[in-house]
Amino acid sequence: MDSVKKAKTAYVAYSIVLIALGILLIFLTEATELTLCYIVGLITLICGIIKFISYFVNDTYGLAFQFDFALGIFTMLIGLVLILHPKNILVFLNVVIGIFVIIDGTFKLQTAKEARQFGLDNWWLILILAIITAIVGLLLIFNPFEGVLALSVIIGIALIADGIENLCVAIYTIKLVKRFLPSKPNFTEK
């Protein structure tokens, strides 16, 4: 249970970082495209490392962290590419972030389905957030927005939605694990 608690802390931290980055991008109106690329790349790299490490936690039912190995590696690679080749990737920044958000949202659709099967009361919240996240990811890919400011705001919204979605998954999954874990016997009683 201690490893699950540590994973929950890491996942909550990851979610807060995504939400904070999203808020930063919404209100960071003076950022250049290159600065935006470096900021998103660094945070993406950190989030990928957290996701990768979270995979190795003993999640009894495999709900919260089941895709984090592959998604962690993918996220770290995106972060490295954004940091090491920002000028080459600037044209595709919205597509790269959009793909990441769609993949994460799609995995959370499956998590919502499995949460429902386990009897989690608020499985529908994970489902709704996953759908919203995937839709925002699609908007990023098809880029109906012009200019750095509009792109920064929509990326910020996508990251906030993804962060809230991950936060819900972490909180509800841990509740589920606690509900089904057998209680420790008390050997001091006679």
Side-chain angles (χ1 to χ4, degrees):
M1 189 63 175
D2 190 43
S3 62
V4 173
K5 201 178 257 187
K6 288 178 184 175
K8 178 185 175 188
T9 302
Y11 223 71
V12 167
Y14 165 72
S15 301
I16 290 170
V17 167
L18 282 179
I19 294 167
L21 177 61
I23 292 169
L24 177 70
L25 290 176
I26 288 173
F27 293 107
L28 193 64
T29 57
E30 299 297 319
T32 66
E33 292 176 344
L34 199 57
T35 304
L36 179 65
C37 212
Y38 283 128
I39 291 170
V40 172
L42 180 63
I43 298 298
T44 303
L45 179 63
I46 292 168
C47 290
I49 292 168
I50 292 171
K51 280 189 130 350
F52 182 77
I53 292 170
S54 295
Y55 172 78
F56 294 101
V57 168
N58 183 16
D59 175 13
T60 308
Y61 297 97
L63 281 177
F65 315 115
Q66 64 183 333
F67 304 111
D68 284 357
F69 183 81
L71 196 56
I73 291 173
F74 178 72
T75 306
M76 285 187 287
L77 289 174
I78 288 175
L80 286 173
V81 169
L82 288 170
I83 292 168
L84 298 176
H85 303 287
K87 291 181 183 175
N88 298 334
I89 202 77
L90 273 175
V91 177
F92 304 106
L93 180 62
N94 58 317
V95 175
V96 171
I97 299 298
I99 289 171
F100 166 75
V101 170
I102 288 172
I103 289 171
D104 199 36
T106 304
F107 285 152
K108 294 303 184 290
L109 288 172
Q110 182 174 343
T111 301
K113 178 188 167 287
E114 291 170 358
R116 181 178 181 215
Q117 289 173 334
F118 281 115
L120 190 61
D121 292 335
N122 294 328
W123 65 270
W124 55 269
L125 183 59
I126 297 169
L127 176 69
I128 290 170
L129 289 168
I131 291 170
I132 291 170
T133 301
I135 289 170
V136 173
L138 284 171
L139 286 175
L140 281 170
I141 289 175
F142 294 113
N143 193 18
F145 313 100
E146 293 296 324
V148 177
L149 179 59
L151 181 60
S152 179
V153 169
I154 197 67
I155 290 173
I157 292 169
L159 293 176
I160 290 170
D162 196 28
I164 292 170
E165 173 189 32
N166 283 302
L167 194 59
C168 288
V169 168
I171 290 169
Y172 293 128
T173 301
I174 299 305
K175 283 183 181 179
L176 184 66
V177 168
K178 285 180 181 177
R179 183 186 323 165
F180 289 105
L181 277 179
S183 60
K184 294 181 182 177
N186 188 351
F187 294 110
T188 59
E189 292 181 5
K190 291 190 179 190

